[in-house]
Every structure is written in C-alpha cells, then in structure tokens.
Amino acid sequence: MTAELVRGQNHPLPQTRLEIRVSAGHPVVACATCSDPHGAVRDEWIAHPGAPTLPGIEVSRRATEAPRFTVDLDAVPEAVHQVNVLLALPQGAGGPAHFGATAAPFVVVTGQDDAELASFTITGLDAETALVAVELYRRQGAWKVRAVGQGYAGGLAELLADQGLRKARETATAVQETVAVRIPRAEPAQLRTSAADGAYTRPATSRPNPTPGSNPTPGSNQAPGLNQTPGPNQTAGPDATLAPGPDATLRDGLSAAGAASSQPTPTPDAPQPPGGPINYAHPRRQSVAPPSPPPAAAPARPGQPAPPVAGDATGWSMEERLYNQVWGMFEDLARSVAAYRSAVDFAESRLDQELDQVLSDPRSRIGGTGDAAREAARAKCEELTDRARQALDRDLAQLTAESEVVEPALPPAFARWDNPAWHAYRVPMEIPMALRLGDLQLPESPELRIPFLVRLPLERGLWVDSGRSGSEAAIVLDEAQLRRLALDCAVAHAARLLAVYPPGEFTVHVIDPAGTAAPSLAPLVGSGALAGPPAAGAQGVSDMLAKLTQRVDLVTMAVRGGAADSLPPDLDTAEQLLIVNDFPHGFDDRAVTQLRYLADEGPAVGVHLLMVADREDASAYGPVLDPLWRSLLRITPVPDDHLADPWVRHAWTYEPLTVPPGSAVLRQVLDQVVAARRSWRR
C-alpha cells in the first residue's frame, strides 16, 4: 500500500533497491547529493546530468518531464548518511520561470518489484526554481524516506550552497550548461494537436483575481499536521481530507491536495477589467498537457467568456482531470469569498476610522458639517461593499457555470446518488483515486456546492456524529431521528465504498450490540453485501474486534518483515470496513482499547472504522477517548459548518449525500456488487 506523505513525514523503506520517479509536466533537471552524519556534502558527492552516477545512485542524463532516480542503498558508501533528491528548472529553456507557475511535482518511490512504497505531491511552491524533493536517510541501521519539499528562489546554486557545497555556483552553472544543449526545442507545429499521436497542449491561462485590491491569497510552505485537506480533502491535491472538529483543516494530496500553511503568498493574477474575456483555467492547473484534448466547446462570441469545459485541468486520465478541476473550484471559491470578506472588513474599518475622525474634530460638532461627513463615510463604505459583492457575484457566476458542466460529467465515485452515472453503473475493475463523501458550501453562496472528495484508500476512519450539534438542521430533529439519519448516512457511505472497489477487494462488517440498526442496515443485509450477520451483544462485539485486531497484527508483522507470502491462506486480504453502531453500548474496557488500536493502526493495513456515535454517550470515559475522536474524520447526517480550510480558515458547511426518496438506486448498485463478487469467486 502506498504511503501518501506530507511535508516532514517519513516512512520506512522495506527495500534497498529503489526507483524514484518524478512527474513534473515540464522539463526539470534531476540531481542527487549525499551528505555525512553532520549534513556536509563533499564536492564529489553530487550526481547530475553531466556526471549522472555515484556509487549506488544514478540520475537522468537530460532535463525531462519525468526524470528517474535509480538507487541501490546497499551500494551507497558507509560514510553517506543521507541521499537528497533535487529538482531544478533548466535556465533559458522557454519553460516556466518558477515552480509556482506549474502544476505541483509528484514524486513516487517504488521498490524492485515496481510496487509503490511512498508518494509525495510537492504543493505550495511559488517563486522557487530549485527544491529538495525527498531525502533517504539512515536511522538505527535502517533506511527511511522523508518528504521535504524545500524550495529555493535562488535556484540550484543557492540550494547547493545551503547544503555546504564549496563550489556551489560553479557546479550549478556547469549543470545548467550541460542540460541546455540536451533540451528538445519544440517547433510551433509541435505545440498544436497532432493527429498522429493525439498530443495536446493547452495555452497557459489563469483565472482573474477575484477582487481588486484584496489581500494576498494564503499560500503554502508546510503541510498541516494530521490528514488535513478537502478538498474537496492530503490536498488537499489534490489529495484531500478534512480533520474533525472546529479546528479542522484540509490536506492536499485530493492529495491530494494542496498542502497548507499560514504564510501568505502574493496572488499571481492581475485584476481583470469588467467585460473582458474570462479564462476558466486555474493558475495551478495550466502547465501539464493532458494526454488527450478535453471535449470541444462551442466558440464564444466576441466579448463573451469562453464556456467552461469538464476536465479542464491537468491529468493523465479524465478521472484525474476532473479530480483536479474540483479541487481547483474549491480553491477558487475559498479565494473569492476570502477576498470579498477582506474587502468588507476593510470598508467597515475605514468607516470606523472616518467616523472617529469626525467625532474627534470639534468643528464637526457644530452645524451640518459633521452629519455630511458621516453620510459621506457611510456612502463610501456602501460603495466599497457593493463593488466587492459585484466582484464576488461575477466569480460565483463563473464557478456556478463550471459546476453545472462538471457535475454531470463526474464518474460514480465522484457523483451524487441522483446522478445518471449511477443508472449506468458497472462494477469497476480498478480502485478510483477518490470518493465523494458529501458537498461543501459557504454562506455567501449556499446554492453553489463543491464535491467533498477524499483520496482512496482511506487514510483515516469516519465518524458519523449522531449527537445534537449546534446546526439549525439538528436542532429541529429529536434524538431518535438524528440516530436514524446517521445510520442511513453510514450505510450509504458503506454502499458507495463497496460500489467503487473491484469485486472481492472490499469487505464490510457491522457491530450492532442492541440490534437497533436493523431498518437502516436492510439494504446491506438484504443484498448479501455484508461479510456476515451484524455482531450483536457483548460477545459478538468481542469476537468481531478480536478477529480484526488479529488481522491487523498479522498483516503489520508481514509487511514489516517483508514476508507477505507467509500470511495464512484463509486470511481475507481485501480492504475491511467495520461499521460500529451505538458505541459504547456493549463495549467493555478491552473492547474500547481494541477499537482505539484499530483506529490508529488499521488504516495502514487496510482496516477502516465507520463509527455512528454520539460523543456525549461516551463521556464517562473522559479524555481516554479523545485520541479516538481526533483520529476519525467527523461528518454529520445533517448540514453542519464544522469543517475549515487551511488557507483562510473558512467555516465550510458539510452536507451529506442522500439517496433520493423512493429511489431504488442503492439496492440496485448493491445487487450488482454482490453478483459481481459471486461471479469473481467462481
């Protein structure tokens, strides 16, 4: 299972013969340096296109869009404590001037058997032209990989100097001169669509700045600490998940998904004059050419914005392009609303200052001078607020038009239950890159909903909160209704997970100590989608937790020991999902400990929790269960604004996906899943 890393995170390397692959979408220079235990880099400890080999290390011999590093850690000299993987933009190649103008580079570390061990999406770059992507280092006799993502605006020379290389500038100049003669020059004809190979390159475009005079857009130079994302979730990508509670943040990874930081970076886009053409490509999504062109759109009339196109983002498949486009829409909405709120705050602050100035001047207290000054200040405040709202409405209209095009084009894993894609559903043969858990919206645009996507496989469990939150939707419902909605929500999520995995690669178990979940579990039980009947009573809870805990132990030991073939033949190697209802009823202290163990260690070996619980019911345990709640992604059965993004800390309203009343789509999908599973087992 691939470990999707964020900045600063490390991961053990079970193998020593590795290949590090980079996907940048534009030519980059690949270099590698070695350092001793004190961090010093010797002059001879650098591999680059002019001298591509070191003992145990080999780098690409030219600037390319997909450079590769071949590493044999057993052949690395004993004096080497760390291997640094470096990337730099070639100078004078006609490419991007800095990494901030391109899509985020993606790094993946693979083993000798081509299995992916770890990956890292380097987000949050701006003016940097060289960076340390990852580092391989020794720790207590074993090797680990750490995601670094440290950029340098001064280029390769500054990077090498920072690593202590004495001839850093001379070495950097020699490297750039070497790759300058090896970069292929594209002729104008090569930049157009080719009927022979289907290549397609979009012109570099960017969205207009949402509001003139707004604050800089918050950027990202470090990742949040715990599975934080959108987008819609690791970015975040675009790998994105959301952390529970009011301090939740998004991670890039959707992957995905943009990594977060509190450090602001200037907005690269200039304000666009009213009435001019509007581009729909996001500034972070324009540099990599998709393998095939997006669907053709009708030409726009002069003076009118170009119509939006589904898949208008980078990626090597339509699914990846749509995922990145959704993430871009999330970023755009967050940025537009942040600009609007900043402009309103500025207008109100200016009004307060002008009113204070009027009151502090004794001359304004006599006659109509003061009243006129106050009216002028209020009029100016209203004018600034109206202008900010007009800019926001313009951006919302663009995003709404894009959403209306993107939503019908989404695959089942990304689509709502009422999407026609589910009527044409077929059991997939590959795991999708993400799953939709609901929608996100802001109070300034409640009708515009951004899909809330999380990367697969799940990196953390889910918690459907059946308690009474502070949202208006929860207040009008009684406790029994909330619990029933929470169970229905959990069943819909489980059915969606079953539907997007290939046959036999996802198994669902249920713990229902008091048997109160039978009506909600009917679709799963009636279709035969469950691995067995729901576990009931204290003994059923104990047996189920013991079984899954043993599986986590066995798989963990096998993975760490490199002996996956030694697993028992009757062990179910599929991803496991455990739905827990009515917690903590039926749980003793041992069961609670096992549940915490599954929440912490299970996701790494394919065991995931889906808890339906009210935190108040478990209040008797006190702070003992705080780590459990923090380790799960909290979602609600009714709309609730408990999620926040990492850029400007908007309070996003999460809205769960619901099956349309009277629709049989859930049962039809589950019937197909069960039929495919039976056919696969024959």
Side-chain angles (χ1 to χ4, degrees):
M1 181 180 298
T2 306
E4 297 184 4
L5 307 180
V6 298
R7 272 187 178 85
Q9 186 178 358
N10 60 59
H11 185 71
L13 293 173
Q15 304 179 34
T16 56
R17 296 179 64 87
L18 309 170
E19 186 175 63
I20 302 174
R21 305 171 184 172
V22 180
S23 176
H26 52 83
V28 293
V29 182
C31 303
T33 59
C34 300
S35 55
D36 59 22
H38 304 289
V41 177
R42 302 176 187 175
D43 291 339
E44 67 272 15
W45 280 0
I46 177 171
H48 55 79
T53 59
L54 287 175
I57 303 171
E58 183 175 358
V59 303
S60 297
R61 301 173 181 267
R62 57 181 292 177
T64 176
E65 296 182 1
R68 297 194 176 195
F69 300 76
T70 302
V71 181
D72 184 357
L73 296 175
D74 290 335
V76 173
E78 288 293 330
V80 173
H81 177 75
Q82 181 172 296
V83 178
N84 306 293
V85 175
L86 317 179
L87 302 176
L89 294 176
Q91 297 177 353
H98 51 81
F99 280 106
T102 71
F106 177 74
V107 181
V108 61
V109 180
T110 65
Q112 188 176 6
D113 55 356
D114 207 37
E116 296 185 1
L117 306 177
S119 64
F120 175 39
T121 303
I122 311 175
T123 58
L125 300 175
D126 187 17
E128 296 88 345
T129 58
L131 58 91
V132 181
V134 297
E135 60 188 24
L136 314 177
Y137 64 98
R138 299 181 195 262
R139 177 61 58 87
Q140 297 178 348
W143 285 90
K144 292 187 175 183
V145 57
R146 177 185 289 118
V148 181
Q150 176 64 50
Y152 294 82
L156 189 58
E158 181 183 356
L159 189 159
L160 296 176
D162 187 53
Q163 293 195 346
L165 203 65
R166 289 178 297 177
K167 298 180 180 180
R169 187 165 300 278
E170 293 83 351
T171 303
T173 301
V175 171
Q176 294 289 359
E177 290 176 351
T178 300
V179 300
V181 298
R182 301 182 182 180
I183 297 178
R185 302 289 181 177
E187 298 297 331
Q190 292 178 283
L191 301 180
R192 304 187 182 98
T193 304
S194 169
D197 56 12
Y200 176 78
T201 303
R202 295 190 60 229
T205 57
S206 62
R207 289 187 188 269
N209 198 29
T211 303
S214 63
N215 289 345
T217 302
S220 140
N221 286 326
Q222 69 180 39
L226 172 66
N227 282 349
Q228 324 292 344
T229 148
N233 107 13
Q234 85 226 121
T235 116
D239 185 63
T241 59
L242 289 165
D247 295 328
T249 52
L250 293 165
R251 184 169 65 85
D252 175 22
L254 282 25
S255 79
S261 170
S262 58
Q263 301 293 330
T265 56
T267 301
D269 308 309
Q272 179 156 339
I278 299 173
N279 295 319
Y280 283 85
H282 190 270
R284 299 289 185 184
R285 297 186 273 148
Q286 80 275 17
S287 60
V288 182
S292 58
R301 292 179 295 176
Q304 297 293 323
V309 176
D312 185 17
T314 59
W316 302 109
S317 66
M318 190 58 169
E319 180 191 47
E320 185 179 0
R321 292 200 295 269
L322 287 169
Y323 176 87
N324 291 336
Q325 187 171 13
V326 168
W327 177 251
M329 291 166 60
F330 173 83
E331 288 181 334
D332 288 350
L333 181 57
R335 184 176 64 173
S336 297
V337 172
Y340 168 71
R341 293 180 180 177
S342 176
V344 171
D345 290 343
F346 169 76
E348 294 176 349
S349 175
R350 177 172 176 171
L351 173 62
D352 292 339
Q353 293 176 4
E354 292 180 351
L355 292 179
D356 290 342
Q357 185 177 2
V358 170
L359 294 175
S360 64
D361 187 355
R363 294 172 297 178
S364 64
R365 302 173 187 171
I366 303 174
T369 304
D371 293 339
R374 283 190 287 270
E375 290 299 326
R378 293 190 180 96
K380 184 63 175 177
C381 177
E382 292 177 359
E383 179 187 357
L384 293 175
T385 302
D386 291 342
R387 288 169 54 186
R389 185 69 209 192
Q390 291 173 6
L392 176 64
D393 290 342
R394 180 201 66 199
D395 292 341
L396 293 180
Q398 298 174 23
L399 288 169
T400 299
E402 188 170 9
S403 177
E404 292 174 350
V405 172
V406 170
E407 192 69 45
L410 295 177
F414 298 179
R416 297 191 186 102
W417 285 113
D418 58 357
N419 193 304
W422 286 106
H423 295 286
Y425 167 77
R426 294 293 182 272
V427 179
M429 291 295 106
E430 294 182 355
I431 302 174
M433 66 185 303
L435 181 79
R436 186 172 185 168
L437 291 183
D439 292 327
L440 299 173
Q441 56 179 288
L442 291 173
E444 285 81 359
S445 58
E447 70 286 346
L448 177 59
R449 292 173 172 83
I450 304 297
F452 175 24
L453 305 179
V454 296
R455 294 296 296 266
L456 289 180
L458 295 173
E459 296 182 354
R460 59 195 304 189
L462 303 176
W463 165 31
V464 183
D465 190 353
S466 60
R468 189 178 300 279
S469 62
S471 67
E472 296 180 2
I475 292 175
V476 300
L477 299 174
D478 59 32
E479 183 177 341
Q481 289 175 313
L482 276 174
R483 291 183 183 274
R484 175 62 185 269
L485 288 176
L487 278 170
D488 292 344
C489 182
V491 169
H493 288 315
R496 183 175 286 260
L497 283 164
L498 282 167
V500 302
Y501 270 79
E505 293 193 18
F506 199 85
T507 304
V508 177
H509 310 271
V510 175
I511 287 180
D512 184 23
T516 58
S520 296
L521 293 173
L524 293 175
V525 176
S527 63
L530 294 179
Q539 187 61 43
V541 172
S542 177
D543 293 343
M544 179 66 73
L545 292 176
K547 174 184 176 182
L548 292 178
T549 301
Q550 183 185 35
R551 183 192 184 280
V552 171
D553 289 339
L554 290 174
V555 177
T556 300
M557 289 188 294
V559 170
R560 291 177 179 175
D565 295 339
S566 63
L567 289 171
D570 59 341
L571 183 73
D572 184 5
T573 58
E575 297 274 321
Q576 309 286 313
L577 178 70
L578 175 61
I579 302 176
V580 179
N581 178 48
D582 216 10
F583 177 81
H585 179 75
F587 283 74
D588 55 18
D589 290 344
R590 176 180 174 81
V592 170
T593 302
Q594 290 176 320
L595 193 68
R596 289 184 53 188
Y597 176 74
L598 293 178
D600 293 337
E601 304 296 335
V605 291
V607 177
H608 314 282
L609 290 183
L610 175 52
M611 292 188 58
V612 182
D614 181 358
R615 189 168 183 173
E616 291 299 323
D617 292 343
S619 59
Y621 287 92
V624 174
L625 290 182
D626 286 350
L628 173 64
W629 305 120
R630 286 196 299 266
S631 67
L632 303 174
L633 171 60
R634 176 178 175 248
I635 55 180
T636 54
V638 293
D640 188 81
D641 58 348
H642 64 281
L643 300 174
D645 66 63
W647 300 281
V648 287
R649 308 297 291 179
H650 288 324
W652 291 80
T653 297
Y654 166 81
E655 183 175 349
L657 299 176
T658 57
V659 179
S663 174
V665 62
L666 194 66
R667 184 58 184 267
Q668 293 173 359
V669 168
L670 289 174
D671 287 342
Q672 290 195 47
V673 170
V674 173
R677 182 190 299 171
R678 291 170 179 167
S679 176
W680 173 76
R681 288 176 177 173
R682 291 175 183 172

